[in-house]
Amino acid sequence: MTAPWVAALLTQGTKLKSKAFFSAQISYTFRSPRGMSWAERLQPCPVLSSLQAPAMDMCLSSAQQPGRQGEEPSSPGGWLGAEKKGVLQKDSTGGPVEDSNKIEQSLHSLQKFVPTDYASYTQEHYRFAGKEIVIQESIESYGAVVWPGAMALCQYLEEHAEELNFQDAKILEIGAGPGLVSTVASILGAQVTATDLPDVLGNLQYNLLKNTLQCTAHLPEVKELVWGEDLEKNFPKSAFYYDYVLASDVVYHHYFLDKLLTTMVYLSQPGTVLLWANKFRFSTDYEFLDKFKQVFDTTLLAEYPESSVKLFKGILKWD
């Protein structure tokens, strides 16, 4: 039997396909992944398959169907191989967006991760920055679903593109999940590094390639980032500087909040702007916000009452 708090979360979820997300309610269906009940799936646990949501509002449109009719193949790897071949052919005939070395280097970086073999994926359509974006999602992983905070952040990036000036800016996204935010940042001209846990990176890579290959000035990079672990080794300050750090719905009922804050602080150097959007669900979310304000000069940039999402700008305090 589903616990009451789980049932409440399941009925709360809203999914947006456009800006109408913040005013429209959509009905959803739920499928248990490989025999596991949603009550079991949503129970907090010491080790998570993804840092994306053990107790978040699960949502999937009732109109979604596995795959798209006659468009994407069922195997992400099959699409990737065909796409790479197409890139090299176009480059050999003299029509690349970037020179062949940069394309091959970026492809090499992005292709080292393989999408997790979930029982089903769905193709979700979004539109930001004047481009239709197709994101492959799966309800079998919290890191393979676009959450409300990501939608709010994408809307803000789109509406404030001139002010933010992402053109050639170096950006890292924490907990990138299926990659919608990183995709939008790339479309806006940024040099993006999208990070998450190892099991999330394959689908993240697939979505980024699908939506940015030969469509953006810079192909985004995908890197593993476990919050609070091996930061100096994998992201040495001497070699890595980011103009912006982006994060959405990374705060919820999990055991890694202190490590998350440590990671945010580490990645912020003088001049770095941290943009964090989050749906506030639990008292612990506000407790994290209090700790965040202790180390970051914090500004509330936007608030969406319909979805309980708040968007903050943080500048690390330098004493």
Side-chain angles (χ1 to χ4, degrees):
M1 181 176 180
T2 304
W5 68 270
V6 174
L9 286 172
L10 293 176
T11 57
Q12 277 180 351
T14 56
K15 180 102 168 167
L16 39 126
K17 301 288 181 279
S18 67
K19 295 178 184 177
F21 168 71
F22 298 103
S23 59
Q25 295 291 328
I26 305 174
S27 61
Y28 301 97
T29 58
F30 302 91
R31 291 175 289 178
S32 298
R34 298 189 177 178
M36 181 180 290
S37 71
W38 280 114
E40 293 170 331
R41 187 70 171 178
L42 291 175
Q43 290 297 330
C45 57
V47 179
L48 305 176
S49 63
S50 157
L51 293 180
Q52 287 293 55
M56 299 174 75
D57 44 317
M58 296 303 300
C59 52
L60 184 67
S61 170
S62 58
Q64 291 172 331
Q65 299 294 332
R68 295 171 62 194
Q69 296 180 352
E71 296 190 25
E72 287 84 14
S74 59
S75 168
W79 173 87
L80 186 59
E83 195 68 43
K84 179 181 179 184
K85 181 179 180 181
V87 169
L88 296 180
Q89 287 175 341
K90 289 180 182 179
D91 178 63
S92 65
T93 57
V97 173
E98 301 176 87
D99 63 82
S100 61
N101 286 338
K102 291 181 68 175
I103 289 178
E104 290 188 33
Q105 289 172 6
S106 297
L107 283 175
H108 177 74
S109 172
L110 290 170
Q111 287 180 348
K112 63 185 178 183
F113 304 108
V114 177
T116 302
D117 184 23
Y118 297 123
S120 65
Y121 282 98
T122 59
Q123 306 294 323
E124 296 301 313
H125 294 249
Y126 304 88
R127 188 169 187 82
F128 288 103
K131 178 177 172 59
E132 181 178 1
I133 301 168
V134 181
I135 299 295
Q136 177 172 267
E137 302 182 39
S138 175
I139 60 172
E140 295 187 47
S141 169
Y142 304 111
V145 176
V146 172
W147 299 100
M151 299 301 305
L153 184 52
C154 288
Q155 179 175 335
Y156 186 86
L157 298 183
E158 177 184 53
E159 294 177 348
H160 296 81
E162 185 175 349
E163 171 191 344
L164 294 169
N165 189 21
F166 272 12
Q167 191 65 44
D168 298 325
K170 294 182 179 180
I171 291 177
L172 181 140
E173 184 183 6
I174 298 174
L180 180 62
V181 172
S182 286
T183 296
V184 172
S186 294
I187 293 171
L188 293 174
Q191 302 178 55
V192 175
T193 300
T195 70
D196 213 308
L197 291 179
D199 66 308
V200 177
L201 300 183
N203 190 52
L204 170 60
Q205 158 209 276
Y206 171 75
N207 286 327
L208 288 174
L209 276 175
K210 184 175 182 179
N211 290 288
T212 66
L213 196 63
Q214 294 199 330
C215 298
T216 59
H218 308 282
L219 283 173
E221 181 182 9
V222 174
K223 291 192 69 172
E224 176 183 339
L225 173 56
V226 179
W227 298 343
E229 296 185 14
D230 297 324
L231 296 176
E232 183 60 42
K233 175 183 176 182
N234 296 326
F235 298 88
K237 290 181 180 290
S238 59
F240 292 91
Y241 172 85
Y242 300 102
D243 300 294
Y244 290 91
V245 174
L246 308 180
S248 62
D249 272 328
V250 291
V251 176
Y252 47 89
H253 187 57
H254 63 71
Y255 302 104
F256 307 99
L257 292 177
D258 289 340
K259 290 186 175 183
L260 169 61
L261 187 58
T262 297
T263 302
M264 289 177 164
V265 169
Y266 176 84
L267 293 171
S268 298
Q269 299 188 50
T272 299
V273 175
L274 193 153
L275 298 177
W276 164 43
N278 220 93
K279 177 168 183 175
F280 282 74
R281 305 168 176 85
F282 309 105
S283 60
T284 50
D285 299 349
Y286 290 96
E287 291 171 6
F288 179 89
L289 176 59
D290 290 338
K291 293 180 180 180
F292 183 88
K293 289 179 177 179
Q294 292 175 15
V295 292
F296 287 93
D297 288 321
T298 306
T299 304
L300 177 62
L301 296 178
E303 189 168 4
Y304 307 91
E306 300 87 351
S307 57
S308 302
V309 172
K310 302 177 190 292
L311 173 59
F312 296 98
K313 177 177 77 171
I315 305 292
L316 187 64
K317 295 178 180 180
W318 298 89
D319 297 327

